[in-house]
Amino acid sequence: MSAARVSLLRALLVLAALLPLPWRQAIAAQVDEIVLWHAYQGREEAGLEAAARTWTEQSGVRVKLVAIPFGAFASKVETAIPRGNGPDLFIAAHDSIGKWSAMGVVEPTPQLSADGLRPELMEAVRWGDQRWGLPLAYKSLVLLYDPTVIQTPPTTTDALIAEAHKYTGGGRYGLAYQASETYYHAPWAHAFGATPFDAEGRLVPLDSDAHVKAYAFTARIARDEGIVPQQPTYESVQRLYNEGNAVFVIAGPWFVSDVDRPIAAAPLPWVSDAGAPARPFLTVDVAYVAGQAQHPDEASAFTTWLAGPEGARIRQEQGGQAVSSALVPTDDPLLKTLEVQSKTALLMPMNPGLQGLWESEAKALRRVMRGAATPSQAAHEAALYWEVVSRPSPPAVSPWPYVVVMVAVLLGALGWLLAPLRDPDFRAKLRRHAWDYVWIGPATVAMVLLVLTPFVVGAGVAFFAHDQGEFTFIGLRHFTDILFARDWPLSSPLSFFYTLGVTLLWTVTNLIVHVGLGIALALILREPWIRMRAGWRAALILPWAVPNYITALIWRSMFHVQDGAINALITLVSGAKDPVQIDWFGSFVTSFGANLITNGWLGFPFMMVVTLGALQSIPRDLEEAAEVDGASWAFRFRHVVWPLLKPALLPAVILGSVWTFNAFNIIYLVSAGEPDGTTEILISEAYRWAFTRGNRYGYAAAYALIIFGVLLAYSRAANRLVGRKVL
Amino acid sequence: MATVRFQNLRKSYGDTHVLTGIDLVMEEGEYVVLVGPSGCGKSTMLRCIAGLEDISSGDLFIGDRRVNDVAPKDRNVAMVFQSYALYPHMTVRENMAFALKVAKRSAEEIRVAVDEAARMLDLGHLLDRRPSQLSGGQRQRVAMGRAIVRRPDVFLFDEPLSNLDASLRTHMRVELMTLHKQLGTTMVHVTHDQVEALTLADRLVVLNKGVIQQVGSPRELFDRPINTFVATFIGSPSMNLLPATGHGATSTVDGVEGTLDVPSDGAFTLGIRPTDFTVGEGPLEADLIVVESLGSEAMLHMDLGEHRIVARVDEPQSFQSGDKVRLRPNKVHRFSAATGERLP
């Protein structure tokens, strides 16, 4: 072989090695790996891993498991998969099928064999005329109890209540569960007939008798009987059980792996008042073939195997799952209980757009639990609320008038911008600075991409109504709806002007707290008798340095009615015999106060730092001169220090007021708008419209645009006042 | 009007002693100047009178009242700061009216008092300006005016002239003297400038390292300095100090030829002011190094043996550096070589 040929061959080999991976795979016609996303943890994850290993041994295809945090899972698949960055398959609950099938997140899988799978669970993957993936396992709430205390679990709610009373008192609770959550209210509600849909598939009105009775029942069992702790969270229930301070718990199978004491399961009891069994929601874990999967055939093969008897057995034995396969019987008592419970359980509906329904019910439930409304009042309000949030989009209007106006405005703006070009002096100036424009070019491009474009898109969305992925042009309708308070009286927490009022109150009170505390601390820090000045200063800046959502979550837990540090402190200070139980989020004043305290804590360091800096620029002489001239402390502050601080503080105050106006984190994390959305501010209200009330993006965008307008007007006015030295 | 009396007053910051055992009486209507190098404690003394510094021990009286624990605002003293400390956000009129406004005087009373002070200080046309629109001298006068309107018991001046240029300073010195004559109030003035001290003071207090060195009229301090510190600090250029040895009726400067008619015994420090030489003849011979001409007169900087000395002459044109110059001291001061104290 000649030298030239050898080097040609070498070059070809190098090229072959450089070929992109998928291309080589196609040449090899051999898939050696598929990717699976899941949100399993602990034992379930171990079971899935074991199953994947077995499959790899049998088929030679490696299964790469990627665990994604549960809270981030839905948004992850919804953003990644439609853009082709998703896995080959993923495991998630069945109730998003309606939404995901429309978005192309999941692939229809009519070809997959359902042999041996329980037919009623196959209903969980049927949507439209199609089947989407295969059911793997199912979950529902069951009655868990402490077997060291209870030998025979009660089978009716009356018996449960009677039994629970025996073990309640002295920090101990007969029954612990998250009573204020709709998911936990559902078993009772369904027993009374308050299901989302009736037998014909029609929505059951939210103010039906069944709903009223169900609210009354939950209020009784979870509040009036005094056997259930107040405002429990998953963590507090878990803690109570682990401490031996809860005898009965209503929770799902996941709770079992989170406790470290003996625990036993029984089906939820017969609801004595309804004369029907409790019917919890049934959720089914489904293995979906992802949209745009790179290896759909291999993913389908693995899905079938994983759902089938062999995969099911591994998941059942090692993962502790209640599996969908009818071919692998179990003698595990928990799994047997789940199987019994699944017979009465109600399959979680898959219809998209039910978010608003859950929110309506949740509001009503919280009001009833708080005692702020009777069950029938609450049910009535829930129905009204649902009517508004579920209302079909406004009718489409012709975009042409808007297009004409917009073009005219754009042309006008362009003309206004270009008019100076007719001036030769201006042109000469432009030429002189030609390079300067080049230098600021990159920054301009970045600003256009990162600030201007999202703004324009966001503003544009405000003119469209969104419903299940479809946008309809409706012109200014959202703005008129909001500004003329079409749906609610002005005094309703849902009206724009109510929320605007709360937002203004929120901003003003916060600024008073921030500026007042900031100046006071800065003045104290400057006193000559302060020891360890640097240490104090650092400590006082600390609240600012901690990420504010962490602070907000800590404060929220401190305001808890039963376990919170604030109530404990009040108990201690007041010397009351019984623990003080202020329900901080139960009334507007206390809830607003809790938000204010949290944001006050977060905001004063900034004003303190600005004040410290400004104070340094005020010569000490001035105050001494005033002191010698006979001025008291207050007079010196009012007439000497304050006038000189003001110019430095004003920009900080304007900045601070804009931040506070939009302090989403605090409202969302501390009061979450409680009670009944009364402490919501504009920005968090906009969020609710976009994400918890049926994805009304257009309405939310209109809100955001109005907020922008308010702030723009405010900052213009403030600047003018500062410029004229009015402030 | 009031006396100011210090009784064994001490001021320290931790282990740092700023003032140690001050005993002093400032009489009613007296113009007292506190003078000394930086860090000698003179400003601290002034701030103690104002009440801006706490007193560590000892007593301070203004009039008959012990004021150790009296707040500044209740002492009825007025202070002019080195920086003038004018309130930048107020007009001249508001600045001057400040203390009266604090005292809740009527608007009419305030107007009359401010106009009166403005007339005395020739500030009438500036009353509506802000401090930033004034020259240094004008600001200084406003600061004065602010003190005057109050009719205080004691005026305190903390280096009030040091931010002015030389000619303005001379002018303001005269104004201060005039003011003192018109008002007749006790005034305490702190400066490090001994010329200012000598011109203004009824009585001078020389401080060094927190200790009063000498108290007296400018003449007394100039003619009979109590120790070498006062001797060198008062008078410009400084007094020449030379190590010398006495031989009964005569003395010699160490390492220098020539006998002086100064009766003394043993080692001592010989002090001669530059103005107290006869130049051109005499027992001492020095090498002329530099002629510092001041117009009508000149300072001759010379080496006398190993010692650098200065003498003043009236006809500078007859001297050139490199010349040998003969000298006769006309008036001498004698100080202890060991302690620096004046010898009788």
Side-chain angles (χ1 to χ4, degrees):
Chain A
M1 220 190 295
S2 74
R5 271 200 201 147
V6 172
S7 52
L8 183 69
L9 197 67
R10 272 200 200 133
L12 282 175
L13 281 173
V14 169
L15 267 180
L18 287 174
L19 276 175
L21 219 59
W23 181 243
R24 288 214 326 258
Q25 277 172 350
I27 295 172
Q30 175 74 49
V31 175
D32 49 15
E33 182 177 274
I34 55 175
V35 177
L36 187 164
W37 288 0
H38 67 93
Y40 284 153
Q41 289 177 333
R43 202 171 158 203
E44 285 191 298
E45 185 174 20
L48 182 64
E49 279 167 357
R53 270 197 305 277
T54 309
W55 174 248
T56 305
E57 281 161 24
Q58 290 181 9
S59 68
V61 176
R62 234 154 42 81
V63 182
K64 187 178 171 193
L65 300 178
V66 180
I68 289 165
F70 178 75
F73 198 87
S75 65
K76 177 91 178 165
V77 296
E78 284 167 21
T79 49
I81 292 175
R83 287 166 188 75
N85 300 321
D88 294 300
L89 70 163
F90 67 94
I91 299 174
H94 74 283
D95 52 303
S96 297
I97 287 184
K99 184 172 161 199
W100 287 346
S101 57
M103 292 171 74
V105 169
V106 292
E107 285 289 308
T109 53
Q111 76 284 6
L112 297 188
S113 159
D115 290 351
L117 300 180
R118 284 171 47 184
E120 72 272 22
L121 296 181
M122 285 306 291
E123 289 306 308
V125 295
R126 198 179 307 283
W127 177 251
D129 313 329
Q130 287 284 8
R131 272 175 25 202
W132 311 81
L134 289 178
L136 294 179
Y138 58 91
K139 286 160 187 160
S140 76
L141 294 176
V142 289
L143 180 67
L144 301 167
Y145 62 94
D146 188 339
T148 63
V149 180
I150 303 294
Q151 270 72 49
T152 323
T155 53
T156 66
T157 51
D158 284 348
L160 173 66
I161 291 169
E163 193 81 347
H165 271 296
K166 290 189 203 160
Y167 303 102
T168 302
R172 222 164 157 227
Y173 296 96
L175 174 64
Y177 78 106
Q178 293 163 264
S180 312
E181 307 279 333
T182 45
Y183 182 71
Y184 290 80
H185 167 69
W188 315 137
H190 299 163
F192 284 97
T195 48
F197 298 96
D198 64 14
E200 279 80 46
R202 290 179 311 224
L203 265 171
V204 175
L206 287 181
D207 53 356
S208 75
D209 263 5
H211 279 96
V212 176
K213 283 182 188 152
Y215 292 137
F217 179 75
T218 292
R220 188 189 133 208
I221 191 171
R223 191 188 67 207
D224 303 342
E225 295 285 351
I227 51 176
V228 176
Q230 298 289 295
Q231 295 180 6
T233 60
Y234 183 78
E235 288 74 19
S236 68
V237 173
Q238 188 189 331
R239 200 181 58 239
L240 281 169
Y241 190 84
N242 277 336
E243 289 165 351
N245 286 330
V247 176
F248 292 103
V249 167
I250 295 173
W254 53 86
F255 189 81
V256 172
S257 49
D258 284 345
V259 294
D260 46 24
R261 293 185 57 243
I263 191 161
L268 287 169
W270 182 272
V271 182
S272 313
D273 304 36
R279 299 185 67 196
F281 272 128
L282 184 72
T283 49
V284 179
D285 286 351
V286 178
Y288 298 99
V289 174
Q292 305 196 34
Q294 296 211 348
H295 313 299
D297 297 341
E298 288 74 12
S300 299
F302 179 59
T303 300
T304 315
W305 179 85
L306 192 64
E310 218 177 329
R313 182 170 295 111
I314 298 173
R315 287 184 291 111
Q316 184 189 74
E317 286 169 4
Q318 302 195 30
Q321 284 187 323
V323 296
S324 56
S325 172
L327 306 175
V328 281
T330 176
D331 49 11
D332 180 295
L334 173 66
L335 298 188
K336 284 181 103 127
T337 303
L338 278 167
E339 194 178 331
V340 173
Q341 187 72 73
S342 73
K343 310 281 189 226
T344 55
L346 183 72
L347 194 63
M348 180 80 89
M350 293 166 271
N351 313 47
L354 289 184
Q355 249 175 355
L357 189 75
W358 308 140
E359 202 197 337
S360 311
E361 283 199 277
K363 267 179 183 300
L365 181 61
R366 286 198 299 266
R367 276 176 77 76
V368 171
M369 289 294 285
R370 210 169 54 235
T374 65
S376 65
Q377 281 169 346
H380 179 67
E381 284 160 18
L384 279 182
Y385 183 75
W386 169 239
E387 194 186 312
V388 174
V389 298
S390 65
R391 194 171 38 212
S393 305
V397 299
S398 163
W400 288 112
Y402 293 87
V403 172
V404 170
V405 169
M406 205 170 75
V407 168
V409 168
L410 280 179
L411 284 178
L414 204 66
W416 179 77
L417 268 176
L418 297 181
L421 281 178
R422 280 164 50 186
D423 176 2
D425 285 352
F426 185 79
R427 283 206 302 274
K429 219 158 114 191
L430 266 189
R431 267 196 300 279
R432 211 163 47 244
H433 291 287
W435 277 107
D436 303 358
Y437 290 100
V438 174
W439 301 134
I440 62 166
T444 310
V445 169
M447 290 292 283
V448 166
L449 283 179
L450 298 175
V451 179
L452 193 64
T453 311
F455 177 82
V456 169
V457 171
V461 168
F463 295 86
F464 291 85
H466 171 257
D467 187 31
Q468 314 301 331
E470 286 203 16
F471 286 90
T472 321
F473 187 85
I474 56 157
L476 289 169
R477 182 63 184 270
H478 281 148
F479 295 95
T480 54
D481 280 4
I482 293 170
L483 293 176
F484 294 109
R486 177 185 160 217
D487 296 315
W488 292 275
L490 285 182
S491 59
S492 158
L494 284 165
S495 91
F496 170 79
F497 292 99
Y498 176 92
T499 312
L500 179 66
V502 172
T503 311
L504 292 178
L505 182 69
W506 163 250
T507 309
V508 171
T509 48
N510 265 294
L511 279 177
I512 291 171
V513 170
H514 291 171
V515 174
L517 264 183
I519 291 182
L521 288 170
L523 288 174
I524 291 174
L525 272 183
R526 210 176 51 135
E527 284 296 315
W529 47 265
I530 292 277
R531 301 273 164 265
M532 298 191 305
R533 196 181 310 267
W536 284 111
R537 201 165 43 209
L540 286 170
I541 292 173
L542 218 56
W544 196 21
V546 177
N548 64 13
Y549 63 91
I550 293 177
T551 311
L553 287 173
I554 291 173
W555 277 100
R556 176 169 178 99
S557 65
M558 291 205 298
F559 282 115
H560 190 274
V561 60
Q562 254 169 3
D563 309 326
I566 308 276
N567 282 349
L569 196 70
I570 293 175
T571 308
L572 196 72
V573 172
S574 68
K577 244 194 265 146
D578 298 319
V580 171
Q581 295 204 340
I582 300 173
D583 181 5
W584 283 91
F585 303 112
S587 77
F588 173 78
V589 173
T590 49
S591 187
F592 188 86
N595 285 339
L596 181 62
I597 290 170
T598 306
N599 202 43
W601 167 263
L602 280 165
F604 79 82
F606 174 70
M607 291 299 171
M608 185 187 83
V609 169
V610 172
T611 310
L612 273 175
L615 280 176
Q616 253 160 29
S617 69
I618 303 177
R620 210 58 214 233
D621 281 1
L622 293 186
E623 280 173 86
E624 289 183 348
E627 207 178 340
V628 175
D629 276 350
S632 64
W633 186 91
F635 197 94
R636 291 203 298 276
F637 181 78
R638 166 83 185 74
H639 291 279
V640 179
V641 178
W642 175 244
L644 297 173
L645 271 184
K646 224 167 47 174
L649 268 180
L650 264 180
V653 167
I654 292 172
L655 201 63
S657 54
V658 173
W659 286 342
T660 309
F661 196 91
N662 280 340
F664 173 81
N665 284 4
I666 309 309
I667 303 293
Y668 183 75
L669 294 174
V670 179
S671 80
E674 288 290 282
D676 303 319
T678 48
T679 54
E680 220 62 88
I681 58 171
L682 289 174
I683 192 79
S684 63
E685 191 71 359
Y687 171 88
R688 302 265 176 227
W689 283 112
F691 298 106
T692 67
R693 294 175 192 156
N695 300 116
R696 295 178 57 171
Y697 297 130
Y699 200 78
Y703 244 86
L705 215 56
I706 294 173
I707 295 173
F708 175 75
V710 170
L711 288 179
L712 193 70
Y714 164 74
S715 61
R716 296 281 302 184
N719 277 338
R720 284 177 74 161
L721 291 180
V722 172
R724 278 200 240 137
K725 295 200 192 283
V726 174
L727 284 176
Chain B
M1 287 212 290
T3 57
V4 178
R5 188 149 52 91
F6 292 80
Q7 269 180 5
N8 194 24
L9 184 141
R10 287 167 195 277
K11 169 74 192 172
S12 25
Y13 299 103
D15 292 338
T16 318
H17 304 291
V18 185
L19 294 175
T20 47
I22 301 290
D23 280 299
L24 183 69
V25 180
M26 299 168 178
E27 300 295 345
E28 248 178 62
E30 204 176 18
Y31 201 123
V32 179
V33 175
L34 306 179
V35 69
S38 319
C40 70
K42 56 189 190 296
S43 279
T44 309
M45 255 180 95
L46 194 77
R47 291 168 62 84
C48 282
I49 303 175
L52 297 172
E53 300 284 350
D54 293 334
I55 292 163
S56 303
S57 75
D59 292 312
L60 176 68
F61 293 88
I62 297 178
D64 296 329
R65 189 160 63 134
R66 181 172 174 277
V67 293
N68 287 36
D69 302 315
V70 176
K73 67 190 180 67
D74 301 323
R75 294 192 181 195
N76 198 25
V77 298
M79 183 155 167
V80 174
F81 291 76
Q82 180 174 7
S83 64
Y84 313 140
L86 301 181
Y87 310 121
H89 55 291
M90 298 182 193
T91 62
V92 169
R93 180 182 285 283
E94 287 164 342
N95 262 286
M96 286 170 62
F98 186 84
L100 301 180
K101 208 169 128 194
V102 171
K104 299 204 166 70
R105 302 284 182 78
S106 74
E108 178 59 20
E109 218 178 325
I110 293 177
R111 196 187 57 74
V112 170
V114 170
D115 286 345
E116 161 80 11
R119 195 182 44 72
M120 277 171 75
L121 291 162
D122 193 19
L123 286 169
H125 58 297
L126 301 175
L127 282 175
D128 293 324
R129 296 212 194 154
R130 288 186 189 244
S132 56
Q133 297 166 307
L134 302 179
S135 72
Q138 288 168 335
R139 284 180 211 184
Q140 214 282 336
R141 292 218 299 279
V142 175
M144 288 285 178
R146 202 168 62 180
I148 290 170
V149 290
R150 291 189 51 199
R151 305 273 168 200
D153 290 339
V154 182
F155 279 101
L156 305 174
F157 299 135
D158 188 4
E159 309 238 7
L161 308 181
S162 59
N163 285 350
L164 302 177
D165 63 40
S167 68
L168 208 52
R169 204 178 308 164
T170 317
H171 175 73
M172 283 311 297
R173 282 208 296 264
V174 178
E175 293 220 350
L176 274 176
M177 285 191 280
T178 321
L179 204 65
H180 183 228
K181 279 215 177 64
Q182 285 178 339
L183 299 171
T185 313
T186 315
M187 293 186 174
V188 186
H189 183 128
V190 159
T191 182
H192 62 271
D193 178 347
Q194 47 92 25
V195 178
E196 195 174 307
L198 289 171
T199 13
L200 286 169
D202 292 336
R203 216 143 54 98
L204 260 174
V205 178
V206 182
L207 277 159
N208 190 30
K209 295 179 182 158
V211 179
I212 294 183
Q213 303 291 319
Q214 191 172 4
V215 180
S217 69
R219 197 71 249 167
E220 267 167 42
L221 264 66
F222 192 80
D223 288 345
R224 294 184 59 79
I226 201 160
N227 55 27
T228 48
F229 177 79
V230 178
T232 48
F233 194 78
I234 300 293
S236 175
S238 288
M239 182 185 283
N240 299 298
L241 292 181
L242 301 164
T245 310
H247 313 287
T250 60
S251 336
T252 50
V253 177
D254 294 356
V256 177
E257 302 240 337
T259 306
L260 305 174
D261 299 334
V262 178
S264 194
D265 284 308
F268 68 101
T269 302
L270 177 69
I272 311 163
R273 292 209 182 270
T275 47
D276 289 341
F277 281 109
T278 303
V279 180
E281 56 99 9
L284 302 174
E285 188 184 70
D287 297 323
L288 182 55
I289 308 297
V290 171
V291 180
E292 185 192 4
S293 174
L294 302 172
S296 65
E297 56 179 36
M299 296 299 160
L300 305 183
H301 295 258
M302 298 171 286
D303 278 349
L304 179 66
E306 293 171 348
H307 317 294
R308 177 62 58 91
I309 60 168
V310 181
R312 197 198 70 166
V313 290
D314 288 336
E315 309 91 21
Q317 58 280 9
S318 50
F319 297 95
Q320 280 186 346
S321 48
D323 287 355
K324 299 266 186 215
V325 180
R326 294 209 75 83
L327 297 165
R328 174 187 303 284
N330 299 326
K331 184 180 177 204
V332 300
H333 306 261
R334 293 186 310 129
F335 301 99
S336 156
T339 64
E341 297 295 322
R342 184 176 190 86
L343 294 176

